[in-house]
Amino acid sequence: MAARATLPSLTLLRSDVELRPVPADAQAATEADDAGPDAAGETATEPAPRALARLLEDLRAARERDPAARSWAELVLAYPGLHAVWAHRVSHRLWQRRGTRLLARVLSHVARSVTGVEIHPGAVIGRRVFIDHGMGVVIGETAEVGDDVLIYHGVTLGGRTTKRGKRHPTVGDGVVLGAGAKVLGPILVGDGARVGANSVVVGDVPAGWTALGVPAQVSAPGTRGAMADPALFI
Ligand SMILES: CC(C)(COP(=O)(O)OP(=O)(O)OC[C@H]1O[C@@H](n2cnc3c(N)ncnc32)[C@H](O)[C@@H]1OP(=O)(O)O)[C@@H](O)C(=O)NCCC(=O)NCCS
């Protein structure tokens, strides 16, 4: 989630917002998995200690974000969102080898049956991503999700076209996606942005901004409600 580019669209109040660019070659983005290591820098031979460290940081992230979590055992045993992310880590590795793609799909299907969360094995999911409640989340094949993202139940990171290539959103680090939010198309949700519950987002959301409604309108921090700072409108 490093590269950034100026993005002129969808700014209701400002026009100098920075976001990461959509990959120039959309088809290449879809086929990138064939090459092996993914955009998150993971490899199919990640050592076990690192995998365990990732698992522990997932648990910590979940505990920090869910005030209802009472114990580590509860998190390990009864949090479908964690189980879904862990299953995805395995299925994503299987997806990176052409010969095991069917197996990846089957594992993803089994995980969906158990957790209610459907993550396509091709999707790139960052570190410490926490899916709270789980049920009804759908994350498409070419979606990319950054680190420390909080996803509530019913969120869809979906496409708006049936054409191959990059067709799902890219979600930056530290984003919050409210319950039932639909984020559609190869759009960018910038770092630290928030998407309100049940909003339908079809355009870019600048970093740190909030997207609300159907279709979602974006607003800068402190500018929502009753003209938070009238000077912005003069
Ligand atoms: C988008 C969100 C992060 C905004 O939080 P916030 O900055 O604290 O904003 P507020 O709650 O103070 O609301 C500000 C305004 O936005 C409106 N609003 C908030 N969330 C909204 C939503 N999802 N859709 C439409 N309007 C919304 C409020 O009614 C309020 O309107 P007003 O200024 O006209 O009174 C939050 O409302 C949200 O949707 N979070 C997701 C929570 C979630 O999914 N929880 C599931 C737990 S199981």
Side-chain angles (χ1 to χ4, degrees), residues 60-75:
R60 265 184 238 112
R63 190 145 195 188
E64 278 164 18
R65 288 170 186 156
D66 185 3
R70 291 172 198 283
S71 70
W72 300 111
E74 182 185 351
L75 284 165

Side-chain angles (χ1 to χ4, degrees), residues 133 152-153 178-179 194-197 199 210 212-213 224-225:
H133 306 292
Y152 285 106
H153 53 283
R194 299 181 306 167
V195 176
S199 298
T210 299
L212 280 181
R224 252 178 311 116

